[in-house]
Amino acid sequence: EALANSLPVITTTNVGASELIKDGFNGFVVNPRSITDIKNKILFFYNDRNSLNKFRKNAFNSFNSIQNNLNYK
């Protein structure tokens, strides 16, 4: 849902979302249970709006790519 709404994702390697998120492109994959990693990624988006906008575009484009690759029968 986040990608479909142009929102970058911060996820960990412990969940399936890490398979859809390209670290540094449409979000970030951080170490599980690392509060510091999560905090730093949130602050990255907060402090760098240009990068946030780039990640947002990449997130939506990733969603479109995933959707186009699905086979509906």
Side-chain angles (χ1 to χ4, degrees), residues 21-73:
I21 304 308
K22 297 175 187 162
D23 191 46
F25 179 75
N26 59 359
F28 291 111
V29 180
V30 298
N31 293 318
R33 300 182 187 217
S34 177
I35 294 170
T36 302
D37 282 355
I38 295 169
K39 177 190 81 168
N40 289 339
K41 299 310 180 190
I42 292 170
L43 288 175
F44 171 82
F45 288 131
Y46 181 79
N47 291 320
D48 189 344
R49 296 301 171 146
N50 288 330
S51 290
L52 174 61
N53 289 331
K54 185 170 86 173
F55 274 71
R56 290 183 68 162
K57 288 177 188 174
N58 292 342
F60 188 71
N61 290 337
S62 295
F63 167 75
N64 282 332
S65 178
I66 292 165
Q67 187 176 30
N68 290 335
N69 288 326
L70 292 176
N71 274 330
Y72 293 104
K73 295 182 180 184

Side-chain angles (χ1 to χ4, degrees), residues 2-14:
L3 296 177
N5 287 290
S6 301
L7 296 173
V9 175
I10 300 171
T11 188
T12 70
T13 56
N14 284 355

